[in-house]
Amino acid sequence: IDLTPLVIDDLTDRRLAPEEVERYHAWGYASSLTMPLVSGGTLVGLVIMSDMKKTGKITYKMTKRR
């Protein structure tokens, strides 16, 4: 598992699969930052921050690994 933060500056990022670009468009996202939460070398969750270009709002979501 790669624990490196992932920065997507825009939807032309080559690391995004076409399905991911479609999903980003559907959600209104223009860019995102995904930060893994690690404890003792184990991934325990993610913090995902997204910029919504149309509204200029920044949203965030925290997920916990079960």
Side-chain angles (χ1 to χ4, degrees), residues 7-65:
V7 177
I8 302 295
D9 289 324
D10 62 54
L11 301 184
T12 62
D13 192 304
R14 293 176 186 235
R15 294 171 296 175
L16 291 174
E19 310 82 52
E20 292 172 306
V21 173
E22 287 177 23
R23 210 171 308 131
Y24 269 51
H25 277 294
W27 293 337
Y29 292 177
S31 60
S32 71
L33 166 66
T34 303
M35 283 294 271
L37 300 176
V38 180
S39 177
T42 301
L43 179 66
V44 295
L46 298 170
V47 174
I48 302 169
M49 299 179 80
S50 303
D51 180 29
M52 302 181 82
K53 189 176 188 176
K54 295 178 184 176
T55 63
K57 290 193 256 180
I58 295 177
T59 62
Y60 70 92
K61 173 174 71 171
M62 291 181 65
T63 59
K64 184 177 176 183
R65 189 167 181 169

